Amino acid sequence: MAQPITAHAEVPGIEGEGANFPPFDVNTFGSQLLWLAITFAVLYLLMSRVIVPRLSGILEDRRSRIAGDLRIAAESKARAEEAGEAYEKALAEARGRAQALAQETRDKLAAETAEKRAALEAELARNLADAEARITAGKEKAMGNVEAIASDAAAAIVERLTGQAPARDAVATAVGKAMAQ
């Protein structure tokens, strides 16, 4: 069975009747409070003189390390931005040089093409003039032979129609008169 709990509880297993649990014993409150004050003072002094300064040092060290890291990060960011600007500038210069080189190459190729075209046109003009000269010479040669061919054809026609061969001189004279008209 359970025993009722009172302000002066008895500790089981302690010999003697009426033995109270020491923290609840009113007679020991004064000494307990004294030791509480002494323990609190010692712990307070230990905390304020040893532990708090160490923690403050650790926190200050962390603050300074974080500030240093932020400063380094800001410097790195500035260097990265400068490098990016330098890269963009170099890229723009390279594009400009590439465009200038491409334009120079186009101009050079256009000049070479114009020279080749002019040389080819001159050669074609020479070939055309030579061909026209050959055609004119062939035409003149052919025209020179036309009179002889016409005389032979006229003599052959007259001989076939009449049965007699005409005189060569008469045929040549008649063909010459016909060609003159």
Side-chain angles (χ1 to χ4, degrees), residues 136-153:
T136 303
K139 187 177 179 182
E140 288 174 3
K141 185 179 176 183
M143 291 307 275
N145 290 335
V146 166
E147 194 171 326
I149 294 171
S151 295
D152 288 343

Side-chain angles (χ1 to χ4, degrees), residues 68-134:
D69 290 346
L70 289 174
R71 181 182 44 78
I72 290 170
E75 291 171 359
S76 297
K77 180 182 177 185
R79 283 193 308 266
E81 287 175 354
E82 289 173 4
E85 290 172 3
Y87 169 75
E88 291 297 327
K89 183 179 178 183
L91 186 62
E93 288 174 1
R95 283 183 182 146
R97 285 192 310 264
Q99 288 176 351
L101 182 61
Q103 185 62 39
E104 181 182 319
T105 302
R106 279 191 292 266
D107 293 344
K108 183 180 176 182
L109 289 175
E112 287 177 4
T113 304
E115 285 178 21
K116 288 179 182 179
R117 187 179 66 233
L120 184 60
E121 286 174 354
E123 184 179 337
L124 288 174
R126 279 193 309 272
N127 289 344
L128 183 61
D130 290 346
E132 285 178 357
R134 283 193 308 265

Side-chain angles (χ1 to χ4, degrees), residues 15-110:
E15 304 247 342
E17 207 170 288
N20 292 331
F21 184 59
F24 295 140
D25 190 4
V26 177
N27 295 329
T28 61
F29 275 171
S31 66
Q32 288 178 14
L33 289 175
L34 176 68
W35 281 108
L36 176 68
I38 292 172
T39 305
F40 180 78
V42 168
L43 286 176
Y44 179 79
L45 287 174
L46 180 68
M47 289 290 287
S48 67
R49 303 282 166 104
V50 178
I51 295 174
V52 170
R54 285 185 184 173
L55 288 176
S56 296
I58 290 170
L59 291 175
E60 186 59 36
D61 184 42
R62 288 186 75 189
R63 266 190 220 107
S64 65
R65 189 177 305 142
I66 289 170
D69 290 346
L70 289 174
R71 181 182 44 78
I72 290 170
E75 291 171 359
S76 297
K77 180 182 177 185
R79 283 193 308 266
E81 287 175 354
E82 289 173 4
E85 290 172 3
Y87 169 75
E88 291 297 327
K89 183 179 178 183
L91 186 62
E93 288 174 1
R95 283 183 182 146
R97 285 192 310 264
Q99 288 176 351
L101 182 61
Q103 185 62 39
E104 181 182 319
T105 302
R106 279 191 292 266
D107 293 344
K108 183 180 176 182
L109 289 175

